[in-house]
Amino acid sequence: MDNSIRIKELNMVYTGLADDDGTGLGVLSNVNLKVQANEFVSILGPSGCGKSTLLKIIAGLEKDYEGEIYLGNDNPKYKRVPVCYMLQKDCLMPWRSLLSNVLLPIEIKKGDLKKAREEIQPLISEFGLAGFENYRPRQLSGGMRQRAALLRTYLMDGEIMLLDEPFGALDEITRMQMQDWLTLVWGKHRKTVLFVTHDIDEAIYLSDRVLVMSERPGTINGEINIDFERPRKREMILTSQYSEYKKSILKFLKT
Ligand SMILES: Nc1ncnc2c1ncn2[C@@H]1O[C@H](COP(=O)(O)OP(=O)(O)O)[C@@H](O)[C@H]1O
Ligand SMILES: [Mg+2]
């Protein structure tokens, strides 16, 4: 299956707001982007510039826009295209165990839960959650909750992963562990990833390419290819190449 993303001349205006003078709130303006199959692309942009809205549109949850979107050959406006989508919050259900939270996508599509419970064991280990299957979310650390939410996202059908600031609420050490872990899993299983973040270092560390958005109404201001080899090393932060990437990103963020 072709799991690329193509967006052409996307415009989005929220209308019918309380203090609307009739023009509405322009949120996205002429967004054009392409993500190749199995590429890891980050979107970096100021708060409120429309990043979450963009992901919602790609996931097919928001259809009141102008422009064209293709996931492979399918247009999510007219056809349900399965994607793995993770919201800004972990959204685990507090009354469910870790395992039954993670298996929710299987439950929703009325799959074979018994079989899924057996098949998921290797993934539970791979995601660093073995031994905690019966814990409730409040009994888990922030990193574990986030990994559980990611695993659940991963189990949704689809070869395109949309992640909305998944590590935004974590402390720096946990965040670095999660980044390494995500890179590892992505290296092994490969999906197309569109990763929203407001952390410049995170974007550089994880991505093949970083797209920088402007203030609202958001548009793509700049694009930086990150040519560091994989697996990435934290020490790359000390190189002049890294400083150049960061400088370009900062320049695009200011315009
Ligand atoms: N459902 C909605 N109705 C009206 N306005 C919205 C809605 N969702 C988001 N917005 C507005 O759109 C803008 C962009 O929001 P969002 O996409 O969440 O930004 P970001 O994720 O980049 O911080 C904000 O000004 C926000 O208030
Ligand atoms: Mg957001």
Side-chain angles (χ1 to χ4, degrees):
M1 183 216 144
D2 176 3
N3 53 340
S4 64
I5 305 174
R6 279 179 298 143
I7 299 183
K8 222 172 115 188
E9 291 166 23
L10 171 66
N11 287 285
M12 169 81 203
V13 178
Y14 279 115
T15 51
L17 303 173
D19 58 351
D20 198 349
D21 61 2
T23 52
L25 184 76
V27 176
L28 294 167
S29 164
N30 194 25
V31 172
N32 293 283
L33 70 85
K34 276 188 189 157
V35 183
Q36 308 295 335
N38 300 338
E39 193 182 14
F40 197 123
V41 172
S42 286
I43 294 190
L44 202 57
S47 178
C49 75
K51 303 181 295 298
S52 295
T53 304
L54 178 60
L55 288 203
K56 252 185 257 170
I57 291 175
I58 298 172
L61 301 176
E62 187 69 72
K63 298 196 168 169
D64 221 357
Y65 60 85
E66 279 173 20
E68 276 181 35
I69 301 190
Y70 282 95
L71 305 181
N73 295 318
D74 298 322
N75 185 330
K77 194 169 196 165
Y78 306 111
K79 182 178 171 190
R80 207 192 82 79
V81 188
V83 293
C84 307
Y85 175 42
M86 181 167 156
L87 298 167
Q88 224 163 323
K89 292 197 321 189
D90 72 32
C91 295
L92 296 176
M93 296 176 178
W95 62 89
R96 282 179 167 241
S97 70
L98 185 155
L99 189 63
S100 72
N101 263 297
V102 164
L103 291 175
L104 200 61
I106 315 285
E107 211 174 310
I108 289 172
K109 60 182 183 206
K110 301 207 174 13
D112 185 343
L113 269 176
K114 193 161 165 279
K115 192 163 140 242
R117 251 184 231 116
E118 282 161 22
E119 285 176 356
I120 202 172
Q121 272 313 317
L123 278 169
I124 290 266
S125 302
E126 204 176 306
F127 279 63
L129 298 167
F132 294 89
E133 291 85 343
N134 295 318
Y135 284 52
R136 310 281 147 193
R138 70 182 156 79
Q139 299 167 321
L140 301 167
S141 70
M144 294 176 102
R145 275 201 299 275
Q146 222 54 18
R147 287 204 292 279
L150 263 172
L151 177 53
R152 183 179 61 184
T153 306
Y154 180 82
L155 290 180
M156 296 162 90
D157 277 328
E159 294 302 310
I160 293 176
M161 241 188 164
L162 308 171
L163 303 175
D164 196 351
E165 302 193 25
F167 310 144
L170 301 174
D171 65 85
E172 184 155 7
I173 294 172
T174 312
R175 175 191 270 260
M176 288 199 292
Q177 286 169 343
M178 293 293 297
Q179 291 164 351
D180 286 338
W181 172 86
L182 175 62
T183 328
L184 202 77
V185 174
W186 173 75
K188 202 165 153 195
H189 300 279
R190 286 290 159 149
K191 291 189 190 237
T192 303
V193 181
L194 196 53
F195 185 97
V196 165
T197 177
H198 53 238
D199 184 314
I200 299 176
D201 293 310
E202 178 168 85
I204 301 177
Y205 186 65
L206 293 174
S207 314
D208 297 320
R209 203 148 50 90
V210 178
L211 305 177
V212 185
M213 279 178 82
S214 68
E215 297 273 354
R216 184 179 62 77
T219 192
I220 311 261
N221 259 352
E223 170 183 331
I224 296 109
N225 283 310
I226 310 294
D227 292 324
F228 287 118
E229 61 181 26
R230 295 184 184 269
R232 299 272 162 90
K233 299 192 179 59
R234 293 282 168 195
E235 296 78 56
M236 69 189 197
I237 198 166
L238 303 169
T239 63
S240 57
Q241 183 65 45
Y242 193 95
S243 309
E244 288 306 316
Y245 289 142
K246 202 153 177 176
K247 225 186 277 173
S248 323
I249 290 173
L250 286 168
K251 199 176 80 202
F252 286 130
L253 278 173
K254 278 200 195 95
T255 50

